[in-house]
Amino acid sequence: NPPPQVALEAIVATSFEVFYLQLRRNIDAPLASLTPQLARLSLVPFLGAVEVDQLIQTKLRDAAITTPASALTQRSDSQK
């Protein structure tokens, strides 16, 4: 069964609100730092909390392994 339209609209509206609040409060963290939270918010209604947490942890671990340290340093320097 496809998810109800109202569930999809709620996920999109909540995601937008999270970005909006981040910008309005002038929080210095990059918007990309919200990715794990927004991924969880978007996927939990369809996959379940435990499965989503495992998926996110796996993706974050894989990204850390495949990202060379020099790229992380360059990224940090460019954000200053």
Side-chain angles (χ1 to χ4, degrees), residues 6-19 38 41-42:
V6 70
L8 299 174
E9 291 173 8
I11 291 168
V12 170
T14 303
S15 298
F16 177 81
E17 186 69 17
V18 168
F19 280 123
L38 292 175
L41 170 78
S42 300

Side-chain angles (χ1 to χ4, degrees), residues 35-36 39 43 47 51-67:
T35 302
L43 295 173
L47 302 177
E51 290 81 3
V52 171
D53 288 343
Q54 290 172 347
L55 173 67
I56 291 171
Q57 289 303 316
T58 300
K59 295 294 182 183
L60 289 172
R61 185 176 52 250
D62 291 349
I65 291 170
T66 60
T67 304

Side-chain angles (χ1 to χ4, degrees), residues 19 22 28-39 60 75 79:
F19 280 123
Q22 182 93 351
D28 202 19
L31 292 178
S33 67
L34 297 172
T35 302
Q37 292 85 357
L38 292 175
L60 289 172
R75 203 175 310 151
Q79 293 175 354

